[in-house]
Amino acid sequence: ETGVTQSPTHLIKTRGQQVTLRCSSQSGHNTVSWYQQALGQGPQFIFQYYREEENGRGNFPPRFSGLQFPNYSSELNVNALELDDSALYLCASSRGGAQEQETQYFGPGTRLLVL
Amino acid sequence: GENVEQHPSTLSVQEGDSAVIKCTYSDSASNYFPWYKQELGKGPQLIIDIRSNVGEKKDQRIAVTLNKTAKHFSLHITETQPEDSAVYFCARRVYNFNKFYFGSGTKLNVKP
């Protein structure tokens, strides 16, 4: 076990709704990265939060947003849900500087289904 | 491109045989290459990693080799066991930038 926890484990939403996913990082880690993993695919980088600031973003629209809190836990928010947003959402925690992080450790993921 | 090309997509071996998975990339600024194992219903678990200043790293039955010139790296699993059955992902990180790019995964099936 990595010590990274995510909630909820599963979620069902309808198109157009909004969702918030949560992640608690491993003790001692100051950075959280979020990934979207579609069925049968590798994880795709959404964004990273380092010391409460966004520190890099992948090719995802602005309706994907996030937060990091002083205890380094994080939230991923998705507005105006689309059917293609159905996926496993993974968070990974790590430690290091803004430009060079050490190894990332993943949580178990949140399975989101959009109907 | 940004992503990592990973082959094969599926691999079936007999227990005790070796398994090799290969990944290629094009960005020479990549400096860190982890491998993850993902079991059904779980998040990816780091199994081994290698940095660009090292050519090979071994941990018991698992080894990773890196050829920076050819821009490819490989995962080697020896004496495979049924519990090695899972999906394996390679990834790369660009130097001075914390974004990780993943391969599309290899489903390994070890037959008893």
Side-chain angles (χ1 to χ4, degrees):
Chain A
E1 298 298 326
T2 63
V4 181
T5 60
Q6 292 185 244
S7 63
T9 55
H10 296 83
L11 202 53
I12 300 175
K13 291 284 188 178
T14 55
R15 196 168 46 182
Q17 284 188 312
Q18 178 265 344
V19 68
T20 296
L21 310 181
R22 295 177 176 84
C23 172
S24 291
S25 59
Q26 187 168 314
S27 177
H29 287 184
N30 57 9
T31 301
V32 171
S33 301
W34 285 93
Y35 292 83
Q36 181 193 67
Q37 187 178 24
L39 206 59
Q41 301 293 319
Q44 295 290 316
F45 177 76
I46 302 174
F47 44 55
Q48 180 182 90
Y49 277 84
Y50 168 71
R51 293 188 175 180
E52 303 178 57
E53 298 284 336
E54 188 178 289
N55 184 45
R57 189 178 183 94
N59 297 324
F60 281 82
R63 60 188 184 85
F64 285 78
S65 63
L67 282 173
Q68 188 178 32
F69 300 100
N71 67 353
Y72 302 128
S73 65
S74 178
E75 286 183 355
L76 164 66
N77 299 290
V78 187
N79 293 322
L81 283 167
E82 301 177 0
L83 297 179
D84 285 349
D85 295 335
S86 296
L88 180 68
Y89 287 85
L90 296 161
C91 81
S93 79
S94 56
R95 65 182 177 187
Q99 294 177 318
E100 193 75 8
Q101 288 284 320
E102 295 182 3
T103 302
Q104 293 190 337
Y105 295 92
F106 283 86
T110 294
R111 175 75 61 187
L112 173 65
L113 178 61
V114 182
L115 301 175
Chain B
E2 288 189 334
N3 288 330
V4 184
E5 295 292 325
Q6 183 172 346
H7 298 283
S9 56
T10 60
L11 180 59
S12 189
V13 300
Q14 205 67 39
E15 181 178 0
D17 288 349
S18 295
V20 180
I21 303 169
K22 184 175 177 178
C23 289
T24 59
Y25 61 99
S26 56
D27 186 350
S28 57
S30 301
N31 71 334
Y32 173 67
F33 306 89
W35 284 90
Y36 289 88
K37 174 184 181 183
Q38 188 172 27
E39 296 173 317
L40 202 61
K42 296 185 178 181
Q45 175 193 1
L46 179 74
I47 55 172
I48 196 166
D49 56 11
I50 191 167
R51 299 185 187 275
S52 58
N53 58 349
V54 176
E56 183 174 355
K57 184 177 178 180
K58 189 174 181 180
D59 182 5
Q60 299 182 348
R61 297 186 297 109
I62 295 173
V64 56
T65 57
L66 171 65
N67 184 326
K68 281 194 301 182
T69 304
K71 297 190 180 66
H72 65 73
F73 56 111
S74 299
L75 177 71
H76 305 254
I77 306 175
T78 59
E79 301 171 26
T80 54
Q81 301 166 3
E83 50 266 38
D84 294 330
S85 296
V87 179
Y88 291 81
F89 291 98
C90 62
R92 68 176 183 92
R93 182 188 67 195
V94 177
Y95 173 73
N96 222 28
F97 186 49
N98 282 315
K99 189 173 175 179
F100 282 74
Y101 300 92
F102 281 77
S104 54
T106 296
K107 185 173 183 180
L108 174 65
N109 179 35
V110 181
K111 295 177 286 187

